[in-house]
Amino acid sequence: METSAAPAKFSVNVPASSSAITPGTASTLIEIENLDFYYDSKQALFDINLKLDDRRVTAFIGPSGCGKSTLLRCLNRMNDLIDGAHIKRGSLKIRGVDLHRKDVDAIELRKRVGMVFQKSNPFPKSIYENITYGLRIQGVNNKARLDEVVEKSLRGAALWDEVKDRLHESGLSLSGGQQQRLCIARTIAVEPEVILMDEPCSALDPIATAKVEELIHELKKQFTIIIVTHSMQQAARCSDKTAFFYMGKLIEYDDTRTIFMNPGNPQTEAYVSGRFG
Amino acid sequence: MSLESAPTIRPFVIEKARTRLFGLTLDECIHAFFGGNAFMAVVVLALITVFLFREGADFFGQNRANLRIYREAGLEYVDYMRQQEKDHTALTRYLFDVRMRTVKYLTGVKGLTMAQTNAQLAAFDDFSSRYGDTVEPVRGIVADLTEVATAIKTKFTVNEDAKEGRRQLLAGGKKDEAAAVAITNLDFKAELAPLVGTLPAFKDASATFAKNLEQVVATVPVLPTPELQSRMLKFQQLTRDYIATFPATIHELETWDYTKPVPFTQSLTAFVFGREWLTASFWQDWYGVIPLLVGSLMVSFIALVLAVPLGVGAAIYVNQIASAREQKLIKPAIEFISAIPSVVLGFFGIAVLGQLLRAISQVAWLDWIPGFPFAERLNALTAGCLLALIAVPTIFTLAEDALNNVPRSFKEASFALGASRLQTVLRIIVPASLSGIVSAVLLGLGRVIGETMVVLLCAGNRIAIPDFTAGLAVVTQPVHTMTGIIAQEMGEVVRGSIHYRALFIVGIVLFSLALLINFLAQKIVRKYRISIG
């Protein structure tokens, strides 16, 4: 199935929005259609339909337990690791390829769809080894190539200047914000197309958060980023489009400005203005 | 405002409660109860340590006396001569081994009958009988002197017993009876005179012996293959080396002096480096810990070699790979093994495993495995296999704990970077829990080194240092262990005797080993906790 370049707007229960931030230039990368997702017999996602743009930042917002992280983890099949988690209906496609088809290798998929977690989780190894891990497991052992990737990734994650003199110290010796950027560097070292971020700043102080947000702005030139966040300001600051979830349903999806300034759904309005959640 | 209208002031009670037991409040009683229970463990450990050392301490003094009488009664003197005879016996055994190989070659490769083989080996047999006869003069002297030295030692022992009897009588206040006990002070110099007097005769005998040996080995029989022939030549060389040691023996005998004191350290080194554990012997008792220590370590080593892959592998499988249902089956099953009484495992070892291993070892096409076939049903391998079974639950449980302590986020991060399950386990999970796994293995070692019943029943209980020149086949030899010897001999020894004390010292060695292993394991675990943070 070919991806159509036409629909810039895709929303549920939302009136047509007029003010796209980057009108017309984005093409769709990921298509989610009629997705129903279950943990054992408990349904977590209800009929999700969503098209995500290539090289844009999309934010998933919503109160705890609304299914936004679940959807995120469907995109690199991290849910496979949870017993009883399964998709009952619908599909997730990247460039038309259904991610949950039988012959899709989840390991290959995860090399293309990287992930940054809520709590920074560098391995108990050196900074250097943390970044080269993704390449080493692919069998790359060429020292020159690894050195190059380490520098490139650390620069990409705006961490190079801070750690270039101590690449062989433990990744755990860094501060919280640095650790999270190290995790981002580790993710981009394998050159994925999509980076999933699951509340990447929830454990960071405002200064470290600002640095990560700046980084997101830089990264979107190269990568498609999907970020789950509890911070409305963060979604407003760094995303191009925002999807609001509630109780496992997609309530509204539109340009970020529209969601925050002129939401089409009263629930969205209530949430973004801080009246619940 | 008048004073009458002021509100009544409630007393400000902050004293401790009044109900007291032995002057303690309820809280303090509870505190004392739990504190006391916890403290009890420390006290018991201290008591055990003190008891072990108190009972064992005298050993070194007694062993010194034991070594002194060995010298004073001339046993040592005779043993120098005996050593010469023993070395000759060892060489004869080598010769016998060569004969066996030749027979195997002639009957196997050449397909000769037994009669033909014997006929072929007539020259060889003549050679070996002449070789065997050369020692006769020395052997005769040693046999005679053995009796002399034993007589002196017996006299001494009887005398000591008499002294002890008199001491007891005196202590009981029976002076007359005590005076009646005859005590002769032994004059070692006089007693030893006939012994030392034989030196010229021994010198002559030794010289004859050397001359005859030279003659015999001047021409060695010709054997059918170059390999056998080279063994024969090696034998020739060994014999010449042996003859070269004769002057040293003579020198030892000439300079031997029964009054030379036995230093205290010698009683220590005789235990620590002693290669013989020989008790209730008519000649001389030796308390050397080496055969037992080596036996214990060897059996434990075999057990660990088997148990570490099993235990750690099972832990990795259960913790990282198994489904919830498999976990529910495997975990209790492995943990149940530790509930099997070790004596049950022991007779399982004798009746089933020992038989089975021996039967397997005698399968013809398996004889390339070192040590196969073996005849001893009970040996270090059988005991090691069973001990492995005992160590597996310990290693499994602790290693699984260590794996469990690895934060889930490491695993997720690794998967998110496109690692497979195996890569995640080998590159992230196992390294992150390595120190925990190492300490699990150490505690497993502590568990097996202290195990008694299984080794007593299955290790074969031969008190000798295993022959390590056999290579890997050494594992199929029977051994005795420190735990086994204590269990076997403690019931039969006289309280306070040197043998009794020696067993306590072995107990102390065991105790210290276990303490050291546990200490190391704890230290490693502590370090590991910090590194994971």
Side-chain angles (χ1 to χ4, degrees):
Chain A
M1 185 181 167
E2 275 301 302
T3 326
S4 80
K9 184 217 72 163
F10 187 88
S11 61
V12 182
N13 300 334
V14 169
S17 89
S18 50
S19 58
I21 298 170
T22 47
T25 54
S27 61
T28 303
L29 180 70
I30 302 171
E31 279 181 280
I32 302 167
E33 287 172 350
N34 308 107
L35 188 72
D36 284 348
F37 185 88
Y38 285 78
Y39 290 114
D40 289 321
S41 58
K42 187 175 169 295
Q43 191 166 5
L45 293 174
F46 297 83
D47 194 30
I48 307 290
N49 284 282
L50 200 56
K51 290 189 179 180
L52 305 175
D53 293 341
D54 190 12
R55 266 169 271 183
R56 290 287 179 276
V57 179
T58 308
F60 288 179
I61 61 170
S64 296
C66 68
K68 55 194 189 308
S69 285
T70 301
L71 182 59
L72 195 73
R73 282 162 173 265
C74 282
L75 288 169
N76 67 347
R77 288 184 52 179
M78 284 299 271
N79 286 329
D80 289 9
L81 304 179
I82 299 166
D83 283 338
H86 63 284
I87 289 170
K88 199 148 198 184
R89 190 171 69 93
S91 64
L92 299 101
K93 289 177 183 166
I94 295 184
R95 291 219 185 86
V97 177
D98 186 346
L99 307 184
H100 286 79
R101 225 169 52 196
K102 279 257 155 39
D103 60 343
V104 166
D105 185 354
I107 289 166
E108 284 304 315
L109 171 65
R110 292 187 195 124
K111 289 176 189 162
R112 312 285 287 277
V113 182
M115 187 164 190
V116 176
F117 296 85
Q118 176 172 9
K119 195 169 165 285
S120 60
N121 53 358
F123 299 125
K125 296 170 181 275
S126 70
I127 294 169
Y128 187 91
E129 286 298 325
N130 260 285
I131 293 177
T132 54
Y133 179 76
L135 291 172
R136 283 192 196 275
I137 56 177
Q138 293 176 30
V140 179
N141 278 315
N142 180 332
K143 179 88 169 72
R145 165 117 172 78
L146 292 178
D147 286 347
E148 182 194 315
V149 168
V150 167
E151 177 166 354
K152 198 174 136 211
S153 309
L154 283 171
R155 282 192 193 283
L159 195 60
W160 176 252
D161 292 328
E162 290 161 65
V163 301
K164 65 182 173 196
D165 300 323
R166 45 179 181 141
L167 291 177
H168 295 283
E169 282 178 33
S170 167
L172 295 166
S173 68
L174 300 176
S175 73
Q178 287 174 325
Q179 285 192 12
Q180 193 60 294
R181 278 181 285 145
L182 175 62
C183 292
I184 293 172
R186 181 174 71 184
T187 306
I188 62 182
V190 291
E191 298 184 331
E193 288 179 54
V194 182
I195 299 177
L196 310 174
M197 296 188 173
D198 193 355
E199 300 181 41
C201 302
S202 66
L204 302 184
D205 64 48
I207 294 170
T209 302
K211 280 193 176 160
V212 172
E213 287 178 7
E214 260 171 54
L215 183 56
I216 291 172
H217 271 292
E218 281 301 308
L219 291 174
K220 80 173 181 185
K221 291 173 190 160
Q222 270 191 64
F223 305 99
T224 302
I225 295 173
I226 303 163
I227 178 168
V228 164
T229 177
H230 269 295
S231 156
M232 242 70 78
Q233 291 87 339
Q234 186 169 54
R237 279 194 301 263
C238 61
S239 69
D240 301 312
K241 289 203 169 188
T242 298
F244 171 62
F245 294 84
Y246 184 59
M247 306 275 279
K249 296 190 176 86
L250 176 64
I251 304 299
E252 188 167 355
Y253 174 52
D254 210 324
D255 290 332
T256 299
R257 187 177 300 177
T258 314
I259 292 281
F260 283 94
M261 309 299 268
N262 187 19
N265 187 298
Q267 279 179 317
T268 315
E269 193 189 353
Y271 184 73
V272 298
S273 58
R275 263 179 277 146
F276 82 98
Chain B
M1 271 250 173
S2 68
L3 273 169
E4 286 83 359
S5 69
T8 47
I9 298 165
R10 258 195 322 148
F12 187 62
V13 182
I14 52 170
E15 288 103 39
K16 282 185 176 168
R18 294 283 161 85
T19 44
R20 278 167 188 277
L21 194 67
F22 307 120
L24 298 171
T25 63
L26 186 62
D27 265 5
E28 284 165 342
C29 283
I30 293 170
H31 181 169
F33 175 72
F34 288 108
N37 286 336
F39 193 59
M40 192 63 90
V42 179
V43 171
V44 169
L45 183 65
L47 278 179
I48 289 176
T49 316
V50 168
F51 170 72
L52 271 178
F53 278 91
R54 202 193 57 140
E55 291 296 299
D58 274 354
F59 167 75
F60 294 107
Q62 288 189 359
N63 198 26
R64 193 181 175 192
N66 177 38
L67 292 171
R68 192 182 296 134
I69 185 62
Y70 174 65
R71 176 163 293 165
E72 287 177 346
L75 274 64
E76 187 182 39
Y77 189 80
V78 181
D79 270 347
Y80 281 127
M81 299 180 180
R82 193 192 307 279
Q83 192 55 46
Q84 200 165 66
E85 187 196 331
K86 274 188 183 165
D87 290 346
H88 178 266
T89 313
L91 284 168
T92 326
R93 222 175 286 136
Y94 183 94
L95 204 56
F96 184 73
D97 179 63
V98 173
R99 186 182 197 274
M100 224 168 62
R101 285 166 191 274
T102 315
V103 169
K104 208 171 166 189
Y105 169 77
L106 288 177
T107 55
V109 181
K110 285 286 178 82
L112 301 184
T113 64
M114 213 56 217
Q116 285 169 317
T117 308
N118 282 334
Q120 282 239 340
L121 285 172
F124 184 96
D125 290 342
D126 174 52
F127 170 78
S128 67
S129 86
R130 276 186 292 128
Y131 190 90
D133 290 343
T134 50
V135 78
E136 280 314 326
V138 171
R139 182 174 287 157
I141 293 179
V142 170
D144 291 347
L145 293 188
T146 299
E147 275 173 31
V148 176
T150 315
I152 301 175
K153 191 181 176 185
T154 311
K155 255 190 207 168
F156 175 79
T157 316
V158 168
N159 221 8
E160 288 299 296
D161 286 349
K163 277 186 197 165
E164 179 62 28
R166 187 156 77 169
R167 217 174 358 255
Q168 278 177 8
L169 288 174
L170 281 174
K174 299 169 184 166
K175 282 184 186 163
D176 300 340
E177 289 161 56
V181 176
I183 291 176
T184 47
N185 269 324
L186 222 54
D187 178 6
F188 284 111
K189 195 174 169 81
E191 297 281 351
L192 284 172
L195 204 74
V196 182
T198 54
L199 185 57
F202 180 77
K203 272 184 188 169
D204 285 347
S206 190
T208 322
F209 178 32
K211 199 177 79 209
N212 290 344
L213 263 185
E214 288 274 15
Q215 269 173 7
V216 171
V217 296
T219 49
V220 292
V222 180
L223 291 176
T225 71
E227 196 265 333
L228 291 168
Q229 195 58 38
S230 78
R231 277 177 191 278
M232 205 59 228
L233 291 175
K234 190 182 169 207
F235 174 75
Q236 195 177 24
Q237 191 50 46
L238 284 174
T239 303
R240 287 182 177 147
D241 292 347
Y242 166 61
I243 295 169
T245 65
F246 283 19
T249 307
I250 300 291
H251 180 74
E252 290 280 8
L253 292 171
E254 279 170 341
T255 55
W256 183 79
D257 176 11
Y258 78 95
T259 56
K260 197 174 149 210
V262 177
F264 188 77
T265 49
Q266 198 181 333
S267 80
L268 191 74
T269 51
F271 175 79
V272 177
F273 303 112
R275 300 168 61 86
E276 260 185 304
W277 179 279
L278 193 64
T279 58
S281 147
F282 81 98
W283 181 247
Q284 170 69 10
D285 289 353
W286 295 105
Y287 302 95
V289 78
I290 293 291
L292 306 174
L293 186 66
V294 169
S296 275
L297 293 180
M298 196 168 96
V299 172
S300 305
F301 181 75
I302 296 169
L304 280 194
V305 165
L306 297 170
V308 168
L310 278 176
V312 175
I316 290 173
Y317 183 78
V318 166
N319 193 267
Q320 296 293 325
I321 300 166
S323 68
R325 260 179 68 182
E326 284 176 304
Q327 280 190 15
K328 264 187 206 144
L329 181 75
I330 298 171
K331 261 176 96 162
I334 292 181
E335 276 155 13
F336 180 74
I337 295 174
S338 65
I340 303 174
S342 57
V343 67
V344 175
L345 279 181
F347 62 67
F348 169 78
I350 294 177
V352 183
L353 189 68
Q355 294 281 18
L356 188 73
L357 284 176
R358 184 170 60 178
I360 291 173
S361 86
Q362 281 159 355
V363 175
W365 52 269
L366 282 176
D367 66 357
W368 53 270
I369 298 173
F372 280 22
F374 54 83
E376 300 280 356
R377 186 171 49 130
L378 304 178
N379 55 42
L381 183 65
T382 311
C385 289
L386 288 167
L387 283 183
L389 209 55
I390 288 178
V392 162
T394 308
I395 295 178
F396 169 80
T397 309
L398 293 167
E400 215 243 324
D401 267 3
L403 290 168
N404 236 347
N405 280 340
V406 176
R408 196 185 151 73
S409 63
F410 289 170
K411 187 174 159 182
E412 288 194 330
S414 171
F415 277 121
L417 287 167
S420 67
R421 206 183 271 278
L422 186 67
Q423 286 169 329
T424 304
V425 167
L426 292 183
R427 287 172 181 254
I428 300 294
I429 312 268
V430 170
S433 58
L434 194 62
S435 35
I437 292 173
V438 169
S439 79
V441 171
L442 275 179
L443 289 171
L445 174 65
R447 176 77 183 80
V448 296
I449 216 163
E451 172 55 40
T452 307
M453 215 46 186
V454 164
V455 291
L456 187 60
L457 292 173
C458 301
N461 298 356
R462 189 185 72 182
I463 310 176
I465 300 176
D467 177 16
F468 283 97
T469 57
L472 264 184
V474 73
V475 301
T476 59
Q477 295 176 8
V479 294
H480 214 321
T481 56
M482 296 192 290
T483 48
I485 202 100
I486 294 175
Q488 189 182 11
E489 295 184 350
M490 193 49 106
E492 295 163 12
V493 297
V494 182
R495 202 190 142 96
S497 68
I498 177 171
H499 189 178
Y500 170 87
R501 305 236 184 261
L503 291 176
F504 268 90
I505 296 289
V506 174
I508 290 174
V509 172
L510 202 55
F511 181 75
S512 316
L513 257 179
L515 216 60
L516 180 76
I517 290 168
N518 272 279
F519 174 75
L520 281 179
Q522 280 185 12
K523 219 171 157 90
I524 290 171
V525 166
R526 206 165 300 145
K527 202 177 144 206
Y528 150 84
R529 292 248 163 83
I530 293 164
S531 77
I532 290 292

